[in-house]
Amino acid sequence: MDVRDAPDVLSVVQTAVTRHGTSREALIPILSEVNQALGYLPTAALTEIHRLLKVPGSQIFSVASFYRMLSTKPRGEHVIQFCESAPCHVVGGREVWQALQDALHLNPGETSADGKWTLLTTSCLGICGVGPVVVIDNDVYGNVEPEQIPEILARYA
């Protein structure tokens, strides 16, 4: 989502702060809610959170850039997370990862030029028994084979 098409950044931040409060413990829930509403955390949102919570901007940016669930850069309409942990790797993860990259023409961390896809790697998703695992938005795909990738991606066309 382009921030220009998003709800007003300041009103989104204000709504999240009103809901979660201004304590330091509220920082992650506020960042999560703003990220969900805007698709990422634009600088204007981080600045407003800094102003309202009186938390150092460096601390806010550290939290915002640490967690994979948050992004300080615009992401695609669909975010693909690929588990790169050892259990997924040993059951064919490398081939699935290559199939994803080939199908999307993206490297890790990139967003497609049309803004449709963002491709991320992630550490263990906690469902090693069904590896290799791919998560698209909130949909989890386990026991993925490379030849399934086009069919899976087509579900988001």
Side-chain angles (χ1 to χ4, degrees):
M1 172 188 315
D2 188 321
V3 74
R4 292 171 295 196
D5 299 331
D8 177 56
V9 171
L10 299 183
S11 70
V12 168
V13 170
Q14 185 62 51
T15 299
V17 170
T18 299
R19 183 183 335 276
H20 299 288
T22 57
S23 68
R24 285 180 177 263
E25 293 77 23
L27 180 57
I28 292 176
I30 290 168
L31 291 172
S32 294
E33 185 171 324
V34 173
N35 194 86
Q36 176 84 23
L38 300 175
Y40 76 108
L41 298 165
T43 301
L46 298 177
T47 301
E48 184 66 2
I49 293 168
H50 157 71
R51 188 182 75 76
L52 294 172
L53 271 59
K54 299 180 179 25
V55 172
S58 60
Q59 184 178 4
I60 292 172
F61 184 78
S62 293
V63 172
S65 60
F66 177 79
Y67 292 102
R68 276 284 195 190
M69 64 188 181
L70 305 173
S71 179
T72 57
K73 296 178 183 174
R75 286 185 172 170
E77 177 185 352
H78 300 290
V79 177
I80 301 172
Q81 297 180 68
F82 176 77
C83 179
E84 62 178 356
S85 295
C88 282
H89 179 78
V90 298
V91 293
R94 186 172 62 175
E95 291 80 11
V96 172
W97 175 240
Q98 190 60 54
L100 275 169
Q101 290 184 293
D102 291 347
L104 298 169
H105 306 288
L106 294 174
N107 290 311
E110 290 184 340
T111 298
S112 60
D114 63 359
K116 183 168 184 173
W117 306 103
T118 295
L119 183 60
L120 303 172
T121 59
T122 186
S123 58
C124 187
L125 292 164
I127 45 178
C128 304
V130 295
V133 176
V134 174
V135 176
I136 302 178
D137 302 331
N138 293 320
D139 302 327
V140 178
Y141 298 92
N143 297 315
V144 176
E145 301 286 336
E147 51 276 358
Q148 293 176 290
I149 295 300
E151 174 193 331
I152 291 171
L153 295 176
R155 295 174 189 173
Y156 301 89

